[in-house]
């Protein structure tokens, strides 16, 4: 059984191509970051678009790429990545770059906190974040070198197997060990500096190896791996105890970038949608309607992340790449880039999926692009709390998280101006509960559990001196409770009455309806007209739809109560089957 808060209905009208027809009110995920859904209509069918909006990156909220399982190879779902990061930041984001299904290696660039984890794909765009929070979309290529003292040599790849006769560098971002490569030589470097581009990275050789076996990559170290003829050069020039200097750079130079993710193509430039960016994508990849993801920046610096669902007729048919560009411009983007599409298109918040992936389940992906927040954070309580003892949202689980040592003050505001302030607490990184008053009337100096609107207000200052606040609101309404219906029900040919019961704590108008598996009302008006008194109530349903037909499946019983406190709703499910007619 579940309790739902009131929602506003939005009427739909026939409009021009891709014009918005229905938009839900933005939901605040944390200060400055919101989520909303938008329904658009096209001649090909509806399109459901999910939008995350965030501030200019910097301060408490940043925009960062995330790699699956903390390694360049392998795959992981977006929600799993977010749950893994819950001790370090609150997160909301979307899928990232294209990738190889077999290995999970991204097709292009990954840079996080100034460190290059994977090089850019010179034939496709990359989206970078500068030190001042600007989203910079451009095409750059990778250039690398290594020098053991006898002169520089070409470094072909980073965190990928080099081709025959080439050399690659593996940092710990690749994983625990290099792949097995026949005819190779390896120089193990330790300690190895952060893989920062355009800086000479010098590290001593602690061991030299030859052979085809994987080479362990030491944490804080790196492995220079050469194949065939290049292996001979490495063996000749590298010496244990002597340094090797590695250079990682972009062509052309890309200064000021502290985070970046690959993808492409660029779809918004100077506020206009880009039809052809001239990047390495096929017409099939760009021209078909599909689920699609994108990142953009508005003129004032705010970030938008977009996930358009697709390949689900009747719900969302998806967009072409140019239609995605148009959608991003309508949201106000002045620059933007597409990301991986199709079944990879996912959007999630704090480990919970927000969109409806076309695969029917969440696909494991290679990288993600996340808004990350390090201020005091509280998960959203149930929008409606009902302390009536029926076991459904009887009390809110009020908790907050801090990600750095912080001084935290929590205040509960109840109806009528009643307030409970808890003393400031010195908290280490972790999750902490906020006590909610037990059931009973409000008392002098305490908020009590009176019905009406409540709010939890949190303020914190972390060890870096950064101040943050967050407020979560909810309503206490115990009017409706104890909705009961049979778990299973068999409807004979002539119909058969099923009893639905509930309890009211105060007078209310009540509506009872039966919904099918798609959420459509198949029978309504089951409750008596007018206001019902407090107490126990019941209605009977004969198992028939409003047109007089029997119905089967996983049906939902919906009970709505409107009282002087507000509107509350409870739902329960019933597995209904059609009983066979008796034999004559």
């Amino acid at each position: 059984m579940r309790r739902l808060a009131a929602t506003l209905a939005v009427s739909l009208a026939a409009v021009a191509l891709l014009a918005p027809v229905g938009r839900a009110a933005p939901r605040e995920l944390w200060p400055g970051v919101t989520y909303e859904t938008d329904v658009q209509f096209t001649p090909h069918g509806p399109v459901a678009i999910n939008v995350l909006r965030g501030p200019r990156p910097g301060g408490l909220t940043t925009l960062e790429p995330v790699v699956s399982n903390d390694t360049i190879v392998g795959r992981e779902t977006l929600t799993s990545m977010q749950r893994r990061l819950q001790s370090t930041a609150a997160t909301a984001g979307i899928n990232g770059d294209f990738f190889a299904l077999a290995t999970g290696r991204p097709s292009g660039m990954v840079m996080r906190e100034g460190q290059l984890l994977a090089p850019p794909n010179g034939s496709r765009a990359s989206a970078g974040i500068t030190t001042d929070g600007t989203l910079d979309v451009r095409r750059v290529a990778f250039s690398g070198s290594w020098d053991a003292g006898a002169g520089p040599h070409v470094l072909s790849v980073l965190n990928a197997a080099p081709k025959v006769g080439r050399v690659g560098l593996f940092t710990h971002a690749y994983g625990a060990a290099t792949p097995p490569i026949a005819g190779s030589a390896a120089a193990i470097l330790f300690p190895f500096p952060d893989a920062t581009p355009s800086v000479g990275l010098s590290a001593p050789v602690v061991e030299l190896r030859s052979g085809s076996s994987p080479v362990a990559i030491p944490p804080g170290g790196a492995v220079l791996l050469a194949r065939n003829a290049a292996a001979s050069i490495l063996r000749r020039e590298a010496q244990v105890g002597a340094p090797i200097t590695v250079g990682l750079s972009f062509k052309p130079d890309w200064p000021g970038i502290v985070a970046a993710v690959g993808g492409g193509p660029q779809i918004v430039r100077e506020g206009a949608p880009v039809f052809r960016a001239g990047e390495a994508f096929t017409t099939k990849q760009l021209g078909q309607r599909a689920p699609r993801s994108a990142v953009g920046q508005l003129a004032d610096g705010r970030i938008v992340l977009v996930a358009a669902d697709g390949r689900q007729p009747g719900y969302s048919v998806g967009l072409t790449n140019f239609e995605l560009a148009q959608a991003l411009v309508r949201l106000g983007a002045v620059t933007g880039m597409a990301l991986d599409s199709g079944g990879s298109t996912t959007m999630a918040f704090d480990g919970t999926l927000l969109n409806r992936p076309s695969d029917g389940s969440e696909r494991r992906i290679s990288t993600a692009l996340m808004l990350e927040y390090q201020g005091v954070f509280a998960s959203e309580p149930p929008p409606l709390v009902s302390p009536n003892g029926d076991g459904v949202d009887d009390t809110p689980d009020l908790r907050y998280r801090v990600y750095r040592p912080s001084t935290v003050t929590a205040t509960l505001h109840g109806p009528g101006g009643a307030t409970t302030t808890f003393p400031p607490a010195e908290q280490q990184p972790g999750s902490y509960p906020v006590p909610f008053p037990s059931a009973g009337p409000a008392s002098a100096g305490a908020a009590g559990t009176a019905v009406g609107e409540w709010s939890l207000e949190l303020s914190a200052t972390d060890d870096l001196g950064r101040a943050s606040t967050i407020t979560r609101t909810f309503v206490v309404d115990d009017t409706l409770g104890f909705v009961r219906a049979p778990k299973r029900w068999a409807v004979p040919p002539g119909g058969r009455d099923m009893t639905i019961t509930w309890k009211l704590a105060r007078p209310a108008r009540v509506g009872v309806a039966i919904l099918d598996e798609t959420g459509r009302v198949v029978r309504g008006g089951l409750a008596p007209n007018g206001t019902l008194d407090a107490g126990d109530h019941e209605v009977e349903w004969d198992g028939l739809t409003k047109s007089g037909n029997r119905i089967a499946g996983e049906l939902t019983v919906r009970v709505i109560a409107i009282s002087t406190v507000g509107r509350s709703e409870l739902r329960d499910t019933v597995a209904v089957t059609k009983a066979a007619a008796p034999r004559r």
Side-chain angles (χ1 to χ4, degrees):
M1 184 183 296
R2 48 201 176 103
R3 187 180 300 278
L4 302 177
T7 58
L8 296 179
V10 180
S11 61
L12 304 183
V15 291
L17 175 65
L18 283 179
V21 296
R23 177 174 294 174
R27 167 188 166 195
E28 184 180 77
L29 306 184
W30 64 77
V33 175
T34 61
Y35 165 70
E36 62 192 87
T37 57
D38 189 9
V39 180
Q40 300 179 341
F41 183 80
T42 78
H44 308 279
V47 178
I49 298 181
N50 304 271
V51 181
L52 286 169
R53 299 177 188 262
R56 177 186 286 274
L60 290 169
T61 298
T62 59
L63 183 65
E64 298 280 359
V66 176
V67 294
S68 65
N69 305 294
D70 273 336
T71 60
I72 285 298
V73 292
R75 296 190 292 145
E76 185 181 13
T77 63
L78 177 62
T79 55
S80 174
M81 294 182 198
Q82 292 183 341
R83 288 190 292 270
R84 181 164 49 81
L85 293 172
Q86 279 182 343
S87 64
T88 61
T91 56
I94 57 177
N95 61 289
D97 197 1
F98 300 85
F99 58 91
L101 280 171
T103 64
R105 179 177 171 78
S107 70
M109 181 175 179
V110 180
M111 177 187 277
R112 184 177 171 92
E113 297 177 346
Q115 297 187 52
L116 190 62
L117 310 184
N121 182 337
S123 62
R124 294 180 176 180
S126 299
I129 300 294
T130 65
T131 52
D132 68 355
T134 299
L135 181 69
D136 187 359
V137 179
R138 63 172 70 183
R139 287 172 62 179
V140 294
F142 172 73
S143 178
S145 65
W146 67 275
D147 188 345
H153 301 278
V154 173
L155 177 71
S156 301
V157 290
L158 171 66
N159 287 325
K163 295 181 179 179
V164 173
R166 303 292 180 88
V167 181
L169 177 72
F170 291 87
T171 68
H172 199 64
Y174 178 82
T178 68
I181 298 177
S184 64
I188 301 174
L189 310 176
F190 184 84
F192 191 79
D194 292 343
T196 305
S198 303
V199 175
L201 308 173
S202 183
V205 178
V206 295
E207 186 179 352
L208 289 168
R209 292 187 186 178
S210 294
S212 59
S213 299
V215 178
I217 306 170
V223 174
L224 196 64
L225 193 70
R227 295 186 64 175
N228 306 99
S232 299
I233 297 173
L234 181 63
R235 281 190 292 263
R236 182 172 65 248
E237 297 186 7
Q239 301 293 322
V240 172
I244 289 181
T245 300
V246 174
L248 310 173
S249 60
F250 304 125
K251 296 191 301 184
D253 192 25
W254 201 6
I257 297 298
V258 293
V261 66
Q266 182 169 17
I267 56 175
V268 179
R269 184 184 296 119
E270 297 179 352
V274 177
F275 182 64
R276 282 196 184 92
E279 300 179 25
F281 292 96
T282 66
T283 302
K284 182 178 180 181
Q285 287 175 302
L286 303 181
Q288 292 185 344
R289 283 179 184 81
R292 295 193 183 272
S293 304
V295 56
Q297 188 168 43
L298 280 57
D300 61 5
R302 287 181 297 156
I303 293 294
V304 289
L305 301 176
V306 173
D309 289 328
R311 296 175 182 163
Q312 300 173 70
Y315 163 65
S316 186
V317 297
L319 300 172
T320 67
N321 200 68
F322 187 61
E323 289 170 344
L324 177 66
Q326 293 173 309
L328 210 57
V329 169
R330 277 193 300 277
L331 291 169
V334 295
T335 187
M337 185 186 80
L339 297 163
D340 192 8
S341 57
S344 297
T345 293
T346 41
M347 178 179 283
F349 162 55
D350 202 33
T352 299
L353 202 61
L354 295 175
N355 76 316
R356 289 169 54 175
S358 60
D359 285 358
S361 60
E362 194 180 357
R363 176 183 291 181
R364 292 182 299 123
I365 56 178
S366 169
T367 59
L369 188 59
M370 304 243 202
L371 293 161
E372 299 186 6
Y373 174 69
Q374 288 199 319
V376 62
F377 175 76
S379 297
E380 297 165 289
L384 194 149
V385 176
S386 178
N388 53 20
D390 68 353
V392 183
D393 295 330
D394 281 324
T395 182
D397 181 17
L398 301 180
R399 305 186 68 84
Y400 65 87
R401 300 201 300 262
V402 290
Y403 306 101
R404 298 189 63 87
S406 303
T407 302
V408 183
T409 300
T411 303
L412 269 172
H413 298 279
T419 299
T420 300
T421 300
F422 300 92
E426 302 288 337
Q427 307 287 33
Q428 293 299 309
S431 176
Y432 300 91
V434 177
F436 187 69
S438 58
S443 59
T449 52
V451 296
E453 185 171 279
W454 288 69
S455 66
L456 169 64
E457 181 181 312
L458 296 158
S459 61
T461 301
D462 67 17
D463 60 340
L464 300 178
R466 300 180 301 179
S468 59
T469 62
I470 191 169
T471 300
R472 295 300 195 193
T473 61
F474 56 96
V475 173
V476 172
D477 184 356
D478 60 357
T479 301
L480 176 65
F482 299 93
V483 170
R484 298 288 186 266
K487 295 301 179 186
R488 293 178 177 80
W489 195 257
V491 185
R496 179 183 175 191
D497 290 344
M498 179 182 79
T499 302
I500 302 165
T501 63
W502 68 92
K503 180 178 290 188
L504 296 177
R506 60 184 53 80
R509 294 171 53 206
V510 176
V512 180
I514 307 298
L515 284 61
D516 65 12
E517 292 172 328
T518 67
R520 180 174 58 96
V521 175
V522 294
R523 184 70 179 271
L526 295 176
N529 292 326
T531 300
L532 303 181
D533 293 330
D536 296 325
H537 298 273
E538 66 177 44
V539 295
E540 293 184 337
W541 175 51
D542 59 8
L544 305 178
T545 66
K546 53 190 173 184
S547 58
N549 298 318
R550 290 191 300 162
I551 186 171
E554 192 78 6
L555 305 184
T556 298
V557 174
R558 184 184 69 189
V559 181
I560 298 172
I562 301 175
S563 71
T564 55
V565 180
R567 177 188 186 277
S568 59
E569 177 178 327
L570 278 172
R571 298 187 177 201
D572 203 1
T573 56
V574 182
V576 176
T577 58
K578 294 180 181 179
R583 294 183 179 180
R584 296 180 179 178

